[in-house]
Amino acid sequence: MIKLSKKYAESETGAVRKGWKGRTRIALVYPNQYRVGMSNLGFQTVYLLLNNIEHIVCERTFLPDNGKNEGSRIVTIETQRPVTDFDIIAFSVSFESDFLNILSFLNMAGLPILAKDRRPGHPLIVAGGVACFLNPEPAALFIDCFLLGEAEVLLPTFCESFDRLILRSNEGKKNFLLDIAKNLPGVYVPEFYRPLYNNDETLKLFEPLCEAPVKVQRVYLHDLSNVSTCSAVLTPHTSFKKTFLIETGRGCTHGCRFCSAGYIYRPPRYRTVSELKKCIQKGLALTDRIGFVGAAVSDLPEIGALCSEFKNDNIRISFSSLRADAVTEEFLSILRQSRVKTATIAPDAGSQRMRDVINKGITEEDILKTAERLVTKGIPNLKLYFMTGLPYETFEDIEEIVKLCKKIKDVFLKSSRIRRRIGRITLSINPFVPKPFTPFQWAAMDEERIIKQKINIIKEGLKKTANLRINVESPRRAYIQAMISRGDRRMAEILLRVVENRGNWPKTLKESRFNPDFFVSRERYINELFPWDFIDHGIKKSFLRHEYYQAGKEKVSPPCKVGSCSLCGVCPAK
Ligand code: SF4
């Protein structure tokens, strides 16, 4: 691993190297490979925030590229020091499936996986990131404390309270954890909570112990205007080769009922054009590639004007997401200037009925017009995102996906012919996975055999359509993601067993004393207590429940109007 870390270190621009003397040492871990971790702007942001604190030295580390460490120690990129030399090992977790990688990482680092088995002198194990503030419970028994919310607010106070001496005794560590659990908003220490279950295995009570708060408040940055979130380290070894990533805003106004980012980053906040210009200038000093990142980049006020300002043949600008109802002429010109080869549209559902059920807020006309304009403007290829297995979905709705794709293909073909260049359409089909803190948190996930039937209808229906390729996310992987996503603390037993079984999920689920379908394909009782309910995102559960009912009635809801609304409970009533 040392050789690999050195190779990565040598090809980087922007890594921070700080002396260790008198500083708290934090090993920041992305529980996956280097390539995946370094493509994650959240991870890079935490790295920069920690190293901006004078008394902190933060170094990065990842899982070995081949998933095995062959007996060598897990070391950091900056100094190749073993992670066991650090005071804190901090995991940045974006995807719930990476919870399993935390166990593999601790195992490879030679540290006890269970928090209760760690002894004085072992590093403090901390975790944060979106997967944690959605539902940390599947990983609760492995982590000493979670930081729930946005790093800009959480990290300075946490680092201020931490003293390396606490690690010398169990008592010192326990007192520190209790102190921050009681006094620092956003800090969740699992050992100070006890879940109790009903006979039917649902959660009866989630009991705080030792004066720990009943609810843990998600903390967030109220004003983004003077804080930039952009790439810290550039490297050729990521999905965004040498691209300087810039976050344009947080949250989204649209409230699609399946999308957790649309709820747990409320209220929607945007950066000012002047702040973004500064970031772009900073990026252009390092590279000619700028990538705008956000849940709804196209919603940023004045984004078109901002892009036009950098209209120059030498700059390539890309966008993480474009809504089919928000593609302006300025966008199209920038995409063309940036020689973008493939544009992505996410209809998510084939019928207008289902787009209303999920509250998508776009029409078939929006989708067809955008496809035509993109190709007419010279972007040869299209990528289309659809989901199957959504709540209230019928087989007719699946047929509608086939029909819509054929209509898009016709528009695509007509516009391509004018350009005398036929590109390709790629369909990405993803099984719907119900997520915490969304209106669909009550919904059952479709059975695997039904999902497969639906996928076959799409494949069958489009098999004669030329230049159209279909990529399907594995229903089995989606099932496991769903189990972890809405699992409770008992998930720990399953995750431990998977590590013992070297990642063999079928064997593990067969051996498990829990029926995984209980977590996946069971519709929740409308008043059920959820394992994640102890996290206070400011959103009223009654609001989410009401949105779930609206979905069943195929009713759409208005987008967020920050400043004049307090519907979901996040914004204060006027
Ligand atoms: S209170 Fe209204 S404006 Fe504020 S986040 Fe909720 S829905 Fe959006």
Side-chain angles (χ1 to χ4, degrees):
M1 188 159 179
I2 290 179
K3 214 159 127 233
L4 192 65
S5 300
K6 279 188 180 156
K7 179 192 109 184
Y8 285 138
E10 282 151 15
S11 59
E12 292 182 337
T13 323
V16 181
R17 285 185 173 65
K18 288 170 87 174
W20 275 40
K21 199 160 183 315
R23 290 196 166 101
T24 296
R25 302 93 184 241
I26 301 185
L28 178 64
V29 188
Y30 192 90
N32 209 310
Q33 296 168 351
Y34 177 93
R35 172 176 291 276
V36 183
M38 288 306 291
S39 309
N40 187 292
L41 185 53
F43 176 74
Q44 295 223 21
T45 304
V46 171
Y47 175 64
L48 210 55
L49 285 168
L50 287 170
N51 275 314
N52 284 347
I53 301 171
E54 177 41 36
H55 73 277
I56 299 286
V57 50
C58 174
E59 299 187 7
R60 293 158 296 139
T61 187
F62 307 85
L63 275 178
D65 283 358
N66 61 5
K68 300 191 198 84
N69 64 337
E70 281 124 13
S72 69
R73 294 182 296 179
I74 301 257
V75 299
T76 60
I77 300 289
E78 284 76 4
T79 60
Q80 288 88 46
R81 279 196 175 92
V83 288
T84 42
D85 285 4
F86 287 75
D87 304 308
I88 299 175
I89 294 179
F91 289 95
S92 171
V93 196
S94 295
F95 303 100
E96 58 275 83
S97 39
D98 282 341
F99 281 148
L100 181 61
N101 293 339
I102 291 177
L103 283 68
S104 310
F105 183 92
L106 292 172
N107 221 6
M108 288 185 214
L111 289 164
I113 292 179
L114 290 167
K116 69 175 177 55
D117 296 339
R118 289 191 286 267
R119 294 283 161 267
H122 282 144
L124 186 77
I125 309 294
V126 176
V130 61
C132 298
F133 56 93
L134 263 178
N135 178 19
E137 283 303 280
L141 300 187
F142 315 123
I143 305 293
D144 295 316
C145 80
F146 289 90
L147 304 181
L148 305 182
E150 296 173 16
E152 292 86 351
V153 189
L154 274 162
L155 292 177
T157 45
F158 173 77
C159 292
E160 207 47 52
S161 355
F162 178 81
D163 177 341
R164 308 174 54 215
L165 301 177
I166 63 127
L167 297 173
R168 291 199 182 149
S169 72
N170 280 339
E171 202 196 342
K173 181 176 161 186
K174 188 158 187 170
N175 292 340
F176 164 72
L177 289 172
L178 186 56
D179 175 50
I180 58 171
K182 288 195 316 192
N183 301 313
L184 288 191
V187 171
Y188 167 50
V189 180
E191 73 173 278
F192 299 137
Y193 295 81
R194 181 171 50 204
L196 298 171
Y197 304 98
N198 293 308
N199 296 340
D200 67 356
E201 300 297 343
T202 56
L203 192 62
K204 182 178 178 183
L205 196 61
F206 194 74
E207 198 179 24
L209 309 170
C210 324
E211 303 159 61
V214 175
K215 287 259 182 184
V216 176
Q217 200 197 344
R218 177 257 316 192
V219 292
Y220 66 92
L221 198 54
H222 289 249
D223 181 2
L224 294 184
S225 53
N226 299 318
V227 177
S228 64
T229 300
C230 35
S231 296
V233 179
L234 288 190
T235 165
H237 304 290
T238 76
S239 324
F240 308 109
K241 269 192 185 50
K242 293 271 174 190
T243 303
F244 190 82
L245 302 177
I246 300 173
E247 184 193 53
T248 55
R250 275 177 208 168
C252 168
T253 60
H254 297 281
C256 301
R257 295 179 177 131
F258 58 86
C259 174
S260 48
Y263 293 91
I264 57 168
Y265 282 108
R266 286 188 172 197
R269 292 148 286 153
Y270 300 107
R271 287 200 161 78
T272 57
V273 166
S274 59
E275 186 60 37
L276 291 171
K277 279 186 196 164
K278 276 191 249 157
C279 294
I280 295 172
Q281 294 301 0
K282 194 173 155 197
L284 293 178
L286 298 166
T287 175
D288 64 344
R289 295 163 188 246
I290 301 289
F292 285 130
V293 176
V297 174
S298 41
D299 287 358
L300 180 82
E302 301 172 271
I303 180 88
L306 175 70
C307 291
S308 307
E309 196 155 323
F310 291 90
K311 211 171 179 170
N312 162 333
D313 288 345
N314 296 326
I315 304 175
R316 303 177 74 167
I317 297 181
S318 58
F319 305 91
S320 61
S321 61
L322 291 179
R323 273 181 61 92
D325 59 350
V327 175
T328 61
E329 270 312 309
E330 286 128 334
F331 266 132
L332 292 171
S333 320
I334 289 288
L335 291 175
R336 183 188 163 97
Q337 170 208 311
S338 305
R339 302 187 286 285
V340 167
K341 294 275 173 297
T342 302
T344 303
I345 307 176
D348 287 319
S351 65
Q352 192 57 47
R353 188 190 84 83
M354 273 316 292
R355 284 191 294 275
D356 292 347
V357 167
I358 63 176
N359 202 36
K360 185 71 191 178
I362 59 172
T363 65
E364 182 168 297
E365 195 195 343
D366 292 330
I367 297 162
L368 295 177
K369 201 183 268 165
T370 299
E372 183 186 359
R373 293 173 67 212
L374 285 165
V375 177
T376 308
K377 201 71 179 185
I379 292 134
N381 309 313
L382 281 183
K383 191 166 187 177
L384 303 170
Y385 277 98
F386 286 97
M387 279 183 283
T388 59
L390 287 158
Y392 310 109
E393 181 186 77
T394 65
F395 281 96
E396 289 72 33
D397 294 311
I398 298 298
E399 298 286 0
E400 288 296 323
I401 292 180
V402 175
K403 288 185 195 149
L404 178 59
C405 289
K406 286 184 175 169
K407 287 180 190 164
I408 295 171
K409 179 65 200 271
D410 292 346
V411 164
F412 179 83
L413 214 51
K414 219 185 297 156
S415 320
S416 303
R417 282 213 181 99
I418 298 167
R419 299 194 58 81
R420 297 177 191 285
R421 182 176 172 194
I422 309 283
R424 188 176 41 237
I425 296 181
T426 305
L427 230 57
S428 173
I429 308 287
N430 301 281
F432 160 68
V433 173
K435 297 279 177 169
F437 293 107
T438 67
F440 289 161
Q441 63 182 356
W442 284 273
M445 183 176 174
D446 244 359
E447 284 174 46
E448 223 172 306
R449 70 180 175 79
I450 303 281
I451 294 174
K452 286 181 179 160
Q453 274 177 17
K454 291 177 176 178
I455 290 169
N456 286 339
I457 290 171
I458 298 170
K459 284 184 173 172
E460 214 34 54
L462 294 170
K463 72 177 180 201
K464 293 202 179 89
T465 309
N467 293 67
L468 186 144
R469 188 174 60 190
I470 303 180
N471 296 337
V472 174
E473 167 63 20
S474 135
R476 174 48 35 171
R477 255 209 305 276
Y479 180 93
I480 289 164
Q481 192 196 121
M483 186 179 64
I484 301 174
S485 165
R486 294 188 301 172
D488 57 34
R489 215 172 266 200
R490 295 170 293 183
M491 202 43 63
E493 196 177 305
I494 293 180
L495 295 177
L496 281 168
R497 185 59 64 91
V498 172
V499 173
E500 279 165 29
N501 291 336
R502 298 178 178 285
N504 185 335
W505 274 103
K507 181 171 186 293
T508 303
L509 295 181
K510 210 155 157 236
E511 292 167 353
S512 169
R513 64 193 175 101
F514 302 113
N515 172 4
D517 288 348
F518 174 84
F519 299 105
V520 177
S521 28
R522 176 181 67 92
E523 178 160 22
R524 302 308 198 255
Y525 303 126
I526 212 64
N527 295 319
E528 187 167 331
L529 177 64
F530 294 138
W532 51 87
D533 275 347
F534 73 93
I535 305 174
D536 181 4
H537 279 282
I539 303 171
K540 292 180 282 185
K541 198 170 178 180
S542 57
F543 167 81
L544 295 173
R545 196 179 288 123
H546 173 72
E547 282 294 306
Y548 188 41
Y549 290 150
Q550 292 295 82
K553 297 178 201 153
E554 302 164 15
K555 288 225 169 110
V556 295
S557 299
C560 269
K561 287 197 182 56
V562 176
S564 61
C565 158
S566 58
L567 260 180
C568 79
V570 169
C571 303
K574 291 277 175 218

